[in-house]
Amino acid sequence: MITLRKSSDRGQADHGWLHSQHSFSFADYYDPREMGWGALRVINEDRVEPGQGFGTHGHRDMEIISYVLAGELEHKDSMGNGTLIRPGDVQRMSAGSGVRHSEFNPSPRSPVHFLQIWIEPATLGMAPSYEQKFFAPEDKRGRLRLVASRDGREGSVTLHRDVDLYASLLAPGEQVSHSLAAKRRAYLHLVRGAVRVNGVQLETGDAAKIEMEQKLTIAADADSEVLLFDLD
């Protein structure tokens, strides 16, 4: 069964310096029907104006992934990490027992456009940790490239949850397939483009909640970028 989540139905927030779209209930946006999907709790599509950002704030007991689409995001945290996150990078921060961090757009001219993804960990109270890896476009082109997983296989970043996250870049006419094990569910977020998932049409920003499907076929009708979550 595939349930379409239209981009236009997402929660909206405009703070002037921050323009955000919430796939699930977050901050002032609350929809009891949209509290997450399995362990996937947050997908926020954020655009931060030049020279602006999120001041130092705290998190705990959450796996937080940042996936930059355009521009640069400057990250600093209480573990001593200070990095720039650019398109192609996948950053994973495990908040665990508690961490403080800031996220800032260092550009004086260009917005930064990124996805903030939260996944609930399997174990609470772990020591905080951090990881960041780059995945070249050619590694994602025409295939589902594993970028995050519980065991860090295939060079992916490591999550403290039995979740596999794949990224794919598809040209018009290309398609990829993915098999789901019994009792697994999936969530597909279309970053950009137009695809059909088992025949269900998605446009930029749309998503598909997927359960009780053994095989997924993702076919592109335009240049597309896809994130696919295989969830416990």
Side-chain angles (χ1 to χ4, degrees):
M1 182 171 69
I2 297 177
T3 303
L4 180 63
R5 169 72 159 154
K6 293 295 293 179
S7 174
S8 56
D9 292 334
R10 291 183 290 177
Q12 309 287 326
D14 188 346
H15 301 285
W17 64 273
L18 167 67
H19 312 275
S20 188
Q21 294 172 290
H22 308 312
S23 294
F24 305 112
S25 294
F26 186 87
D28 293 334
Y29 167 62
Y30 175 71
D31 183 339
R33 300 165 300 177
E34 301 294 346
M35 298 300 296
W37 187 247
L40 180 60
R41 180 62 188 84
V42 167
I43 300 181
N44 289 345
E45 183 173 356
D46 290 339
R47 292 173 172 84
V48 177
E49 293 298 313
Q52 300 292 322
F54 301 89
T56 302
H57 59 284
H59 294 282
R60 63 182 302 125
D61 292 326
M62 196 65 70
E63 303 288 286
I64 300 173
I65 295 172
S66 295
Y67 188 92
V68 172
L69 306 175
E72 295 182 341
L73 186 66
E74 183 179 14
H75 167 94
K76 294 181 180 179
D77 64 45
S78 56
M79 294 177 283
N81 298 297
T83 62
L84 282 177
I85 311 165
R86 300 181 174 94
D89 290 334
V90 175
Q91 179 218 56
R92 183 269 303 165
M93 185 177 73
S94 297
S97 58
V99 67
R100 294 180 65 78
H101 78 138
S102 62
E103 295 165 299
F104 186 75
N105 179 3
S107 172
R109 295 177 299 275
S110 302
V112 61
H113 180 198
F114 70 104
L115 296 176
Q116 181 181 163
I117 299 163
W118 294 10
I119 295 170
E120 296 173 342
T123 303
L124 304 182
M126 298 179 297
S129 60
Y130 181 91
E131 192 176 10
Q132 182 174 329
K133 292 187 176 182
F134 175 74
F135 299 89
E138 54 268 27
D139 290 339
K140 296 176 281 189
R141 198 164 301 284
R143 62 186 287 247
L144 288 166
R145 174 60 163 102
L146 187 69
V147 298
S149 66
R150 180 177 59 178
D151 53 8
R153 67 188 186 280
E154 300 177 23
S156 60
V157 301
T158 302
L159 296 172
H160 297 94
R161 185 77 188 217
D162 187 10
V163 171
D164 290 335
L165 171 57
Y166 299 88
S168 184
L169 298 173
L170 298 172
E174 282 189 317
Q175 68 177 41
V176 291
S177 296
H178 180 72
S179 296
L180 281 175
K183 298 183 180 180
R184 301 281 291 185
R185 66 177 74 183
Y187 190 90
L188 186 144
H189 180 83
L190 182 57
V191 177
R192 59 181 175 87
V195 302
R196 285 167 284 117
V197 184
N198 290 6
V200 177
Q201 184 73 49
L202 280 74
E203 306 290 340
T204 296
D206 291 350
K209 299 176 181 179
I210 302 161
E211 55 186 340
M212 295 181 290
E213 298 277 345
Q214 293 182 336
K215 183 178 180 180
L216 304 177
T217 299
I218 305 164
D221 297 320
D223 284 319
S224 300
E225 184 171 5
V226 169
L227 292 180
L228 176 66
F229 299 81
D230 185 323
L231 300 151
D232 61 358

